[in-house]
Amino acid sequence: GDSVTQMEGPVTLSEEAFLTINCTYTATGYPSLFWYVQYPGEGLQLLLKATKADDKGSNKGFEATYRKETTSFHLEKGSVQVSDSAVYFCALEDTGGFKTIFGAGTRLFVKA
Amino acid sequence: NAGVMQNPRHLVRRRGQEARLRCSPMKGHSHVYWYRQLPEEGLKFMVYLQKENIIDESGMPKERFSAEFPKEGPSILRIQQVVRGDSAAYFCASSLSRGGLDEQFFGPGTRLTVL
């Protein structure tokens, strides 16, 4: 079945450092891909998405490009802030279209 | 416009008791999804419902778990005879149309602790 694999955390960075969180997926079709963010004690918020190959999703300085050839959707940000500390989940839309399949999450700590 | 609402936010039950988790979708949304998050893990899909219908329950345990989304009122996830392994955060999400076509909006979750 469809699945998502993302790099294990925690990732600890200093403020203004460059961020990459790797995500690869396995799917039988061409699913939509998502990054969600979860702040402590809260639910998930959609951060960005891409619906087809070579699409780039972007929001709040974060970017990710849908790479069909490498089945990847890596999350990047050029300069992280303390307020970016959270857990980040890579996800894909199940090819049946009914549910979202999540990776295990990557916890990010940003130090001032 | 209020977001997805879940209650209670925290629920403590003893083994063998019943747990009822409620989810009120965003206004106008008729598609509801339930997910479970075990500690330090990602969310796992449980069930997808539309008003009065279960569309996909492939992620629901076969026993003790049930879900409904009545014509009036919130969606309910019910866990009978809870066990310690049911301790988790349960998230509800809603969308305007079928998942994948429209963004799913998540509630703040219900954290269930089974003693």
Side-chain angles (χ1 to χ4, degrees):
Chain A
D2 297 355
S3 65
V4 175
T5 303
Q6 60 184 104
M7 63 187 285
E8 286 189 30
V11 173
T12 303
L13 296 173
S14 297
E15 209 165 20
E16 298 183 4
F18 184 85
L19 168 71
T20 299
I21 300 178
N22 290 337
C23 171
T24 57
Y25 67 90
T26 302
T28 52
Y30 301 102
S32 295
L33 302 174
F34 310 89
W35 277 100
Y36 284 85
V37 58
Q38 184 179 32
Y39 298 101
E42 297 184 12
L44 276 67
Q45 300 173 27
L46 180 64
L47 182 60
L48 54 84
K49 69 177 182 182
T51 58
K52 60 183 187 296
D54 299 325
D55 265 3
K56 177 186 282 188
S58 60
N59 185 25
K60 300 180 182 179
F62 291 89
E63 292 183 341
T65 301
Y66 191 143
R67 301 283 187 203
K68 189 176 68 173
E69 63 277 11
T70 54
T71 61
S72 64
F73 193 55
H74 304 322
L75 182 69
E76 296 182 336
K77 186 175 186 183
S79 176
V80 293
Q81 306 299 313
V82 172
S83 57
D84 293 326
S85 298
V87 181
Y88 292 82
F89 292 94
C90 185
L92 64 79
E93 170 212 341
D94 172 70
T95 46
F98 291 150
K99 56 184 180 269
T100 304
I101 295 172
F102 290 86
T106 302
R107 186 176 297 276
L108 170 66
F109 292 106
V110 180
K111 303 178 298 185
Chain B
N1 189 11
V4 177
M5 300 181 69
Q6 291 187 248
N7 66 82
R9 294 290 307 274
H10 300 274
L11 182 61
V12 179
R13 286 287 177 266
R14 296 191 180 280
R15 280 180 298 169
Q17 291 184 319
E18 178 180 286
R20 269 181 194 247
L21 288 62
R22 293 175 186 77
C23 169
S24 297
M26 285 182 70
K27 188 176 181 181
H29 286 193
S30 60
H31 300 253
V32 165
Y33 315 80
W34 285 94
Y35 294 86
R36 176 165 61 178
Q37 184 180 31
L38 295 171
E40 304 302 318
E41 293 188 15
L43 277 69
K44 296 285 193 285
F45 168 81
M46 298 182 76
V47 62
Y48 162 45
L49 309 104
Q50 292 182 35
K51 283 285 186 182
E52 301 184 275
N53 290 301
I54 295 174
I55 307 301
D56 182 350
E57 56 181 347
S58 58
M60 287 273 274
K62 293 288 186 285
E63 297 177 350
R64 302 187 297 108
F65 284 72
S66 62
E68 62 177 15
F69 188 18
K71 187 176 180 181
E72 302 291 338
S75 176
I76 306 287
L77 179 67
R78 183 180 176 209
I79 311 172
Q80 295 178 291
Q81 299 177 309
V82 295
V83 301
R84 290 220 173 100
D86 297 333
S87 295
Y90 292 82
F91 289 95
C92 167
S94 74
S95 65
L96 192 59
S97 63
R98 178 174 71 81
L101 299 179
D102 268 310
E103 177 183 346
Q104 291 183 28
F105 293 84
F106 282 80
T110 294
R111 279 156 181 82
L112 172 65
T113 301
V114 179
L115 301 178

